[in-house]
Amino acid sequence: MSTHPKQLLMKFTELSIKGAFLIEMEEHSDERGSFARQFCKKEMSKYGIAFDIKQCNISKNYKSGVLRGLHCQKNPYPETKMVSCVKGSCFDVIVDLRKDSPTYLKWQSFILSENNNKILYIPGECAHGFQTLEDNTVLYYMAGEYFMPEYCSGIRWNDPKIGVKWPECKNRIMNARDKNYELL
């Protein structure tokens, strides 16, 4: 006689940035390991999220202190994202850049790690960035729009108008583009 596994759920917490969610995956564990649902269109639709995955990306970061961002993709191709950390941990940030939003220029941060089963859902027209907290941190992105280099944009990671409180870091590693985005 076979037994059917229980339905695994995803817990959605709406964030103060309108349209953004922190999603916690319910995990099933046994002697083999564990299993969790990372994406379910049906569950997401209950929260008004219509997310059509266009591409998935992996970000491998070799050292602690890697800072990527703050990135966004401009209209008419704003990029919604679902971001999770599959190895290591990071300080993950979203900034609302929607001028008509009540949370315009507000930011929120979260720790994503391989152990906490959290996913960040980021609406289009919000900037995203992260700083790794461990060596060999890997992030997995599901994107709701194709990458369009000509619409790729960003804001300076330390823009005083935003005021993100990044973790202290003696050896921050960034590329020239991210260091030199214009201030708002």
Side-chain angles (χ1 to χ4, degrees), residues 3 6 10 17 20 23 31 74 76 79 83 87 91 96 110 116 133 153 158-159 164 167 173 177 180 182 184:
T3 59
K6 75 174 201 158
M10 300 166 71
I17 292 178
I23 304 167
E31 63 278 358
K74 295 186 278 187
E79 191 177 45
V83 180
K87 184 176 180 190
F91 177 84
D96 191 347
F110 304 89
N116 69 10
L133 302 174
S153 184
N158 60 351
D159 191 316
V164 174
I173 303 165
R177 180 192 65 179
N180 296 305
E182 291 185 22
L184 292 173

Side-chain angles (χ1 to χ4, degrees), residues 107-123:
W107 65 276
Q108 281 189 274
S109 65
F110 304 89
I111 300 297
L112 301 180
S113 79
E114 66 184 288
N115 297 316
N116 69 10
N117 290 329
K118 293 181 180 179
I119 303 167
L120 191 55
Y121 175 80
I122 306 163

Side-chain angles (χ1 to χ4, degrees), residues 1-7:
M1 182 165 110
S2 68
T3 59
H4 296 285
K6 75 174 201 158
Q7 176 79 15

